[in-house]
């Protein structure tokens, strides 16, 4: 992955295998900070695809991964969000806030990835993401979210409806992700509310939970609605 590297999936997968065998993760640093976009893309892919066994160990390069959130390449920003879901700690609140700010990214794919982050983040990750996004961007909708939902971001029928019907599109995007965020179960009442939204992007985020199987294995559906859908032609 020298300065003239133009992308090589075989080499990237070989390097991925070495990291899983114990190759020091600190060696990702020069790849993540390379001036070569192909090298950065390969490094972002490696961090995003890391298994749960090693992803938390990548906190040693968390600052370098976070810097990719501002990359001009959509796929690199996308992969950086995926990686930060797995390697951040409670000490990384400012970085989590930067992830949340990408809910307003110009690219739908990146906004969708932030919605996935909202759905799958630990409660502490989500709380820190919202609080720090509010602090980083005070003249945005994030302070509204931080003030309205406080420390626990509890989802109720009233709060989900408030989010989905809010005049600010960023708040609606957040609401779409919250509506399909699993607790002990996936609340299909919330999902139905998101699917009925007048906002096309809200409906798209909700539909993705079916199409791309974003639901963690510990979550179950809360009613017969999914079975009815599964039996539809």
């Amino acid at each position: 992955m020298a300065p003239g590297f133009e992308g090589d999936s075989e080499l990237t997968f070989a390097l991925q295998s070495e990291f899983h065998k114990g190759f020091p993760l600190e060696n990702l640093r020069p790849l993540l900070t390379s001036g070569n976009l192909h090298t950065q893309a390969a490094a972002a892919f490696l961090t995003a695809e890391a298994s749960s066994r090693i992803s938390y160990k990548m906190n040693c390069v968390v600052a370098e991964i976070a810097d990719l959130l501002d990359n001009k390449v959509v796929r690199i920003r996308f992969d950086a969000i995926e990686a930060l879901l797995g390697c951040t700690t409670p000490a990384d609140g400012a970085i989590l806030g930067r992830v949340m700010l990408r809910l307003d990214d110009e690219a739908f794919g990146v906004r969708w990835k932030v919605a996935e982050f909202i759905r799958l983040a630990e409660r502490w990750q989500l709380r820190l993401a919202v609080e720090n996004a509010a602090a980083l961007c005070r003249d945005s909708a994030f302070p509204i979210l931080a003030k309205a939902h406080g420390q626990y971001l509890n989802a109720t029928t009233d709060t989900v409806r408030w989010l989905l019907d809010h005049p600010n599109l960023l708040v609606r995007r957040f609401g779409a992700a919250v509506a399909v965020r699993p607790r002990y179960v996936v609340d299909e009442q919330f999902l139905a509310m998101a699917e009925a939204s007048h906002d096309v992007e809200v409906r798209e985020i909700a539909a993705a939970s079916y199409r791309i199987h974003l639901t963690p294995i510990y979550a179950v559906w809360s009613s017969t609605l999914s079975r009815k859908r599964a039996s539809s032609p």
Side-chain angles (χ1 to χ4, degrees):
M1 295 185 181
F5 181 67
E6 296 181 354
D8 184 327
S9 59
E10 186 174 342
L11 177 60
T12 301
F13 284 121
L15 185 56
Q16 181 183 38
S17 177
E18 291 303 311
F19 281 120
H20 281 86
K21 291 177 183 177
F23 190 54
L25 290 167
E26 289 83 355
N27 290 324
L28 280 167
R29 186 169 287 110
L31 305 182
L32 292 164
T33 58
S34 171
N36 183 327
L37 285 176
H38 294 290
T39 300
Q40 284 189 333
F45 172 82
L46 289 169
T47 58
E49 292 296 313
S51 71
S52 58
R53 182 171 58 85
I54 68 169
S55 62
Y56 74 95
K57 297 179 183 179
M58 290 192 305
N59 189 258
C60 62
V61 290
V62 69
E64 289 79 8
I65 297 171
D67 284 343
L68 298 181
L69 291 169
D70 298 320
N71 199 281
K72 65 181 181 180
V73 178
V74 170
R75 183 69 206 195
I76 292 178
R77 301 200 300 274
F78 183 98
D79 283 340
I81 294 167
E82 174 77 19
L84 291 169
L85 178 65
C87 73
T88 42
T89 73
D92 300 317
I95 287 174
L96 290 167
R98 291 174 61 191
V99 171
M100 187 60 63
L101 291 182
R102 284 294 160 188
L103 192 60
D104 201 26
D105 195 277
E106 63 183 19
F108 170 75
V110 176
R111 299 196 299 271
W112 177 86
K113 196 63 178 177
V114 178
E116 181 182 9
F117 171 89
I118 294 167
R119 293 193 66 237
L120 304 181
E122 298 288 345
R123 291 176 67 89
W124 62 265
Q125 286 179 309
L126 185 56
R127 175 178 59 81
L128 287 174
V130 172
E131 288 178 354
N132 281 274
L136 289 167
C137 202
R138 297 183 183 278
D139 295 326
S140 71
F142 292 109
I144 297 173
L145 294 173
K147 182 177 181 180
H149 297 285
Q151 180 177 1
Y152 299 106
L153 292 166
N154 289 327
T156 65
T157 301
D158 288 342
T159 58
V160 171
R161 173 60 65 195
W162 181 85
L163 290 167
L164 294 174
D165 290 344
H166 199 277
N168 187 291
L169 59 85
L170 192 149
V171 175
R172 296 197 300 271
R173 291 170 188 162
F174 184 88
V178 168
V180 286
R181 175 176 161 83
R183 290 98 189 149
Y184 291 109
V185 298
V186 176
D187 194 314
E188 295 184 58
Q189 179 183 5
F190 295 165
L191 175 62
M193 290 163 62
E195 289 183 321
S197 172
H198 68 278
D199 188 315
V200 173
E201 189 164 336
V202 166
R203 298 198 302 270
E204 179 66 19
I205 291 170
S209 64
Y210 282 103
R211 290 202 316 270
I212 311 179
H213 307 295
L214 295 179
T215 304
I217 58 174
Y218 63 78
V220 296
W221 295 99
S222 61
S223 75
T224 60
L225 182 59
S226 58
R227 292 196 292 273
K228 290 178 182 177
R229 292 183 178 204
S231 64
S232 300

